[in-house]
Amino acid sequence: MTTSRRGRGLLAATAVSAATVLVVTAAGGATAAQTAGPDQGKAAPAGKAVGKEKGYYDARTPSAKTTHARAAKVAGKETAASEKFRNSLGSQGVVEVDPNTGTPAQVTKLNGFLTGRSAKKAQDIALNYVKAHPEIFKLSAGDLATLRLRKDYVDDLGTHHIFWSQVVDGVEVFGNGLKANVTKNGQLISIMGAPVAGLSSQAQSRSAAAAPKLTAAEARTAAAEDVGGTAKSATAKTTGVNTKWNNGDTAKQVWFHTADGLRKGWMTYVNAGGTKIYSHVIDAQTGGLLYRRHLSSDGLGDALVVDNYPGAAKGGTQRVENLIYNKWLPKNAKTLLEGTSVAAWADVNDDNQPNAGETVKVPGTRTTAEYKLVSFPNAASSCSTSYICTWDPAKPDSWKTNLNQDVTNGFYLASNFHDWLAKPPISFTPAAGSFDAAGGDPVLLNALDGAATGDNGGPDGNHINNANMSTPPDGTPPTMQMYLFGNPFVPTSSSNSADILYHEYGHGLSNRLVVDATGNSTLNSIQAGSMGEAWSDFYALDYLVSHGLEKDTTAPGEVLEGKYVTHGGSIRTQANDCRVKAISPNCVGEDGSKGGYTYGDFPTIGGEPEVHSSGEVWAQTLWDLRERFGRGYAVSLITRAMELSPADPTMLDMRNAIVQADLVASGGKNAGIIWTVFANRGMGWYAGAVDGGDAFPAEDFHKPPTGATTTLTGTVTDKDTGAPVTGALVYIGGHASGYAGDYAGVTDATGKYTITNVAPGTYPKVVVSGPGYELLVQQVTVKAGAKADFAPRRNWASASGGGSVVDFNGPDYSDYGCGPGGAIDNAQGTGWGSTTGDDNGTPTGVMVPKHIDIKLPEKVDISAFNVDPSNTCGDPEDASTGQYRIETSADGTTWSTALEGTFTAANVGKYNLVTPTGNATDVQYVRFWMLSPQVPDFATNCPSGGFAGCQFTDLTEIQVFGTK
């Protein structure tokens, strides 16, 4: 029996300078250091394990190692013509080629446009450019004929954002297509999308084999079961290749392209209960999983509402707002808060449906406004006239007292924020993907979500101290779940806290603007997810400050997220307006460091890499831009940059997009200031990241260099044998992210590589990824005639080099992205998560040792093991491996100890090279034992000491070095 995988709570009550830290569980697929998860879970003491959902999966990019290997093959096939094209863009040109399609994922420049001014139609400008460069885009006339215009909208700077999907026989390709951005003057900013070349012929050859064997209903059921939910009983209506159920679930036939070819699939949107709201692509022939994305991100008309929070110095007193006059409700509205952009009810049983007793009558009588807030001053010591409590957790059903007020206030705030985001300079309009009843996708606001799910007239542990927002693609309604808050927070509701509700709404903004060619959000990795949290904080706090509801003077440390629920503190480790080296009690980190964060702080802000805390460096940088340029221009750049973003961006990618947004808006006049702001935060020209999943980026404080570029060459050889490593991808992290293209090369048969057009300087993350070898990252200084050689070690345990897991004990969490195979995938973004006690994860206080058996492709004399014992699968650091033992065998039957030891917190987050003390020759099998987690004083603190390690024990990676 497999238990539901559980990880760290999302709102952990960790005191930091009298503030409270918001932390998050990764949503399945990868560790918290890799994948953004929902704002959902249970408040608990620091380290307490709480609920967890399955996370992100994409068969097109199943692992970093696979992606790098595919990119190396693509780079190895580059022609002289495509190299000439890349070089023609200059040192700040960007050409990233998708490792599956071999076509560009992104073509752009940071210091200019791809084309000059033109009076031609924007669509024609983009398509003509693609036609003019077949050496890089590789699209034939037949391929261009598969393009179908999906959207062409103009932002408030006059820029056209154009999307084409690819369609064959009436069926759309999932994710691939073309995106183009063209200025109002007809200048091409960028082309993106990784279109499929030779699509029609591939579809024709697959037509017989690709005929769907699963029905739409079977695909819907498979999607629900994949995430441990159930497909709700509903009536279906089918039109062409689309099926829609009356509960909002959908299924649509699509083509799905991987490196292994084209497959027919069902793209589904399924609400399987609670926060199990997902988008899937299910293989139409096998029922297998091709894609999974958790959509939740972890907030007669006269109504009484608050603009900030109850008790706030400004916006804290209820006032009258007419919901019909503001056109948030239709004139004839009477019984339901079902408006033009929001439908709200109290989903107290968390079934995502408005049942009897959960809906609210439209407020207002002929003489009075309705739904006065009732205070609960004795509910907790944190209750006061400045931070009013709205329920009492000790009194069953006390939340019912303010049910009408709670739902109405949530409806008001969400409707108000919809209108605010629609105005310039944000301009989040229906064309851009906003949430509107007219477009079929109003926000479904579930106030008091799960308030009646507990046993004591209140919420259970999974429905308190948080909020979340699920965001499906444009046209499908998002769901906003607003929870109650209780101990250790101010007992209130998140529907009464503008900053929390606006934060959740902000997830809808970023998830609708950072999308692929077919409109699916691409905020998946830890860096992208961290920016998602930061954008939500930024837009929420920007609204409150710009309306005078919160103070922001020249003094740092004033702009706080979660001020209400924390009784004047923050749910972040620092204030949003903390400049670098700022002096303020609210600008002190968990480790006691003073001043705002820089890029190098990314993994340590909250004690470990995690999207909410790691995102603080991005939120503070955005506030720097706001201070430098003023609110209007800064917000315009920040929003427009999201529309210019490549898929699954790093913070460096988004820095580039902001530079490009200024290029569009001012002709690049402010580029120097923008680079200064980012360089000050450690995101300068030479800053490095392996990819979006890199939780340990390298910071740099330089602006872009000027002058001539040069070429970097070198040789990659096996460290143990000296033999050349063929087909290894070599790229400069921060300028390339494992794609073939600029700042990247691939080794030939002699192990030699060449990277052209490189600006001189010191690059802290030059990456080498070869099949069956360790991922090697080292610093390189580039100057004229620069040469950098690399000597990675053969990792005999690596799955890409022939290693395999042949046995293990404990539960299998592969469906959550942290099964045993994660320990040998050569990537630190994923790992093997297991239990401490029994297979159900029951914390017993007794460790049941867990082992993984790895078969090497050949017999090896082992020189060393390289182990990253870190927590994975969303668990906190105390779930990392502590005591361990490594055994070896020649035949997989007779085992002998090669090494025993103990890892501590000092070993977490990195590889640790350990040498066998014996039994290291003629080895074909390696067994790694996890003997204890890193829970301090395990015997005393488990099972009920509030540590996740009492329940789960993890290992991120084991590598085996030696010679055959």
Side-chain angles (χ1 to χ4, degrees), residues 33 80 91 106 110 169 365 373 394 397 416 429 583 680 720 749:
S91 63
Q106 179 178 203
L110 304 185
D169 297 330
T365 68
L373 177 69
D397 298 328
N416 177 62
T429 62
I583 303 300
N680 185 52
D720 294 316

Side-chain angles (χ1 to χ4, degrees), residues 457-483:
D460 64 19
N462 288 322
H463 294 87
I464 194 166
N465 296 347
N466 225 311
N468 65 69
M469 171 87 161
S470 70
T471 311
D474 196 8
T476 301
T479 300
M480 181 185 291
Q481 295 180 316
M482 307 303 293
Y483 299 163

Side-chain angles (χ1 to χ4, degrees), residues 394-433:
K395 294 182 179 180
D397 298 328
S398 64
W399 48 266
K400 292 182 178 179
T401 301
N402 285 312
L403 184 150
N404 288 338
Q405 178 274 331
D406 192 282
V407 176
T408 302
N409 203 72
F411 177 87
Y412 158 69
L413 289 175
S415 299
N416 177 62
F417 206 51
H418 166 276
D419 291 1
W420 171 250
L421 295 179
K423 298 175 181 178
I426 300 173
S427 302
F428 185 43
T429 62

Side-chain angles (χ1 to χ4, degrees), residues 60 83 186 266 433 553 706 823:
R60 296 171 297 183
E83 183 178 358
W266 287 103
T553 67
T706 58

Side-chain angles (χ1 to χ4, degrees), residues 10 24-29 35-41 51-57 226-227 268-280 289 291-298 468-473 479 481 483 507 511 521-524:
L10 300 144
V24 71
T25 299
T35 299
D39 294 348
Q40 58 114 30
K52 179 170 171 52
E53 307 283 6
K54 284 190 178 180
Y56 178 71
Y57 174 78
D226 172 67
V227 296
T268 66
Y269 167 78
V270 177
N271 187 330
T275 57
K276 293 183 173 67
I277 305 173
Y278 283 82
S279 178
H280 282 80
L289 178 66
Y291 176 90
R292 177 207 299 128
R293 188 172 194 275
H294 196 198
L295 298 176
S296 294
S297 295
D298 309 351
N468 65 69
M469 171 87 161
S470 70
T471 311
T479 300
Q481 295 180 316
Y483 299 163
H507 282 299
N511 277 298
S521 173
T522 65
L523 297 178
N524 301 315

